[in-house]
Amino acid sequence: MTRHIVTTDDDPAIRKILRIMLKKAGYEVTPCENGNELLHLLENTTTSIDLILLDIKMPGPTGFEILERIARKYPSIPVVMLTAFNDLDTGMKAIRLGAFDYLTKPIRQEELYSCIHRALEKASEEQRKKEIDEEHLAIRKKLEAELRKTKNTLQRSTISTLEAFSETIEQKDPYTKGHCNRVRTLAVALAKALNLDEEMLQIIEGGALLHDIGKISIPEEILNKNGSLTGEEYSLIKTHPEAGVRIITHIPSFKQYIPIIRSHHERIDGRGYPDNMKGEDIPLDVKIVSLADAFDAMTSSRAYRSALPTELAVEEIKLNAGTQFDADLVNVFIEHELYLL
């Protein structure tokens, strides 16, 4: 393919000499008298330009001024500056402004051919590199899209599995039907109000669905008992967090939910179970699920009591802020009216 070179010089004799030398070497040549003519050509030509030979000293915009505009708008076109000043500073300034190289006039044919060859080779190499980079970028974007699709599929599969587990839990206790799902909804809403990241949202969602999985180990007659629990029965109920951990330990992909499962009955004042954790020792995701769990338990009917009205449940939550619940989370819960979900 014939390479297209544009020469720009206000001296017609120089333009003629350049045209003759370049055509002799097999290049297509377009001469321009000055910088404005060159810029007009660049903006309106329908053919590609492979290289520009640009005089530095011209009437109107100088070669340096034109070079800066070419470097901004047409960075892929190599520019070789032509100057009558055999001055290293002038050449270095041209290169700093984006020129590939510079030649001093009068121009020797061999030097011209060599410089053009190097400039075109470098431009071709950069174009190949750009094409490879674009290809790699396209491949990376495709892979990322496939990974997102796979991740979304896995997440949907995981959530479906978690929902199946929560359904299994609730089969033993008809009074808590839908409890895990409601806790999930409240906990995720509270986490979003706190602007937590996607990874934390997923942990909170899964942990909320599984928080009561240990109740599988509790006899149904205790879970569904109409009256008050005896001390022994209550002690047995309090084992469900640790039982849940034992169950989940056998499922490696669910281990991230263990802190919520084990600690969702801990209290800020340290009077919770099973580890009597307190204050800042309790992870944030655990505190979030604990608050959601308690609120839903208050507003749901159980075998041994009727549901509290929402207003009373909210007052109970406020009353226990700083003792049972994290006070900051209670404030967010109230401010965002999450009790209306």
Side-chain angles (χ1 to χ4, degrees):
M1 185 178 67
T2 302
R3 298 299 190 95
H4 181 198
I5 297 177
V6 176
T7 65
T8 307
D9 198 298
D10 63 313
D11 187 333
I14 298 294
R15 292 199 303 273
K16 184 176 181 179
I17 292 170
L18 288 173
R19 184 172 62 82
I20 291 171
M21 286 194 294
L22 293 172
K23 280 189 172 291
K24 181 181 177 181
Y27 297 112
E28 177 187 347
V29 183
T30 300
C32 293
E33 285 188 30
N34 53 54
N36 288 327
E37 186 178 345
L38 171 61
L39 292 174
H40 183 268
L41 175 67
L42 286 167
E43 292 171 0
N44 295 281
T45 186
T46 56
T47 59
S48 63
I49 295 173
D50 297 295
L51 183 138
I52 296 172
L53 294 173
L54 179 61
D55 190 22
I56 290 179
K57 189 176 182 181
M58 296 182 294
T62 67
F64 286 137
E65 291 170 336
I66 298 298
L67 174 61
E68 288 184 286
R69 294 177 67 173
I70 293 172
R72 285 197 305 270
K73 293 191 68 175
Y74 312 98
S76 63
I77 302 176
V79 179
V80 175
M81 304 300 290
L82 307 177
T83 178
F85 306 104
N86 193 2
D87 179 0
L88 181 61
D89 289 339
T90 301
M92 292 307 296
K93 179 180 178 181
I95 292 173
R96 284 198 303 273
L97 291 175
F100 170 77
D101 205 345
Y102 73 99
L103 297 170
T104 56
K105 295 185 281 188
I107 300 168
R108 294 170 46 241
Q109 182 172 285
E110 296 77 10
E111 188 179 10
L112 175 66
Y113 290 166
S114 175
C115 183
I116 289 174
H117 177 74
R118 287 185 285 107
L120 292 177
E121 280 295 304
K122 183 179 180 184
S124 296
E125 182 182 336
E126 290 178 349
Q127 180 62 28
R128 286 193 295 271
K129 184 177 182 298
K130 180 182 177 183
E131 290 171 356
I132 291 171
D133 289 344
E134 289 174 349
E135 182 180 352
H136 287 171
L137 179 61
I139 292 172
R140 188 167 72 247
K141 286 183 176 179
K142 183 180 179 181
L143 287 173
E144 288 173 352
E146 291 175 353
L147 285 171
R148 282 195 298 271
K149 183 178 179 181
T150 301
K151 183 179 178 181
N152 289 337
T153 300
L154 288 172
Q155 286 175 355
R156 287 194 297 272
S157 176
T158 299
I159 291 299
S160 296
T161 303
L162 294 171
E163 289 172 343
F165 269 101
S166 69
E167 285 287 330
T168 301
I169 300 166
E170 292 168 358
Q171 288 300 318
K172 295 193 68 174
D173 184 1
Y175 285 96
T176 62
K177 187 70 174 175
H179 168 69
C180 292
N181 193 52
R182 291 192 300 273
V183 172
R184 183 251 298 260
T185 300
L186 277 172
V188 170
L190 182 52
K192 287 182 176 179
L194 294 167
N195 295 315
L196 300 185
D197 60 35
E198 189 63 31
E199 182 179 358
M200 182 64 87
L201 288 175
Q202 291 173 12
I203 291 174
I204 288 170
E205 181 176 19
L209 285 169
L210 289 179
H211 73 283
D212 272 343
I213 192 170
K215 286 187 176 178
I216 291 174
S217 66
I218 307 299
E220 290 183 34
E221 58 269 21
I222 295 178
L223 291 175
N224 300 322
K225 186 176 180 180
N226 287 319
S228 300
L229 297 175
T230 65
E232 184 179 352
E233 289 169 338
Y234 183 59
S235 294
L236 188 57
I237 285 284
K238 289 169 66 175
T239 66
H240 78 272
E242 293 167 291
V245 171
R246 288 195 296 272
I247 294 168
I248 292 302
T249 299
H250 299 292
I251 309 175
S253 61
F254 287 179
K255 285 186 178 180
Q256 59 189 328
Y257 310 127
I258 284 178
I260 292 174
I261 293 168
R262 181 179 183 87
S263 305
H264 65 278
H265 283 295
E266 299 290 354
R267 294 169 51 107
I268 298 300
D269 59 12
R271 294 168 54 204
Y273 63 87
D275 301 309
N276 303 116
M277 298 171 70
K278 63 190 302 185
E280 294 303 314
D281 293 335
I282 305 172
L284 178 60
D285 53 352
V286 173
K287 294 175 183 177
I288 289 171
V289 174
S290 296
L291 178 54
D293 178 38
F295 181 78
D296 186 72
M298 292 178 197
T299 54
S300 301
S301 294
R302 297 296 172 91
Y304 52 88
R305 63 157 176 78
S306 298
L308 284 178
T310 299
E311 296 79 4
L312 291 181
V314 170
E315 290 304 314
E316 186 73 12
I317 292 290
K318 289 180 181 178
L319 185 64
N320 287 280
T323 54
Q324 182 176 351
F325 310 114
D326 183 284
D328 292 333
L329 290 183
V330 171
N331 289 336
V332 174
F333 184 81
I334 302 300
E335 287 173 9
H336 287 77
E337 298 183 338
L338 299 182
Y339 50 84
L340 297 178
L341 293 179

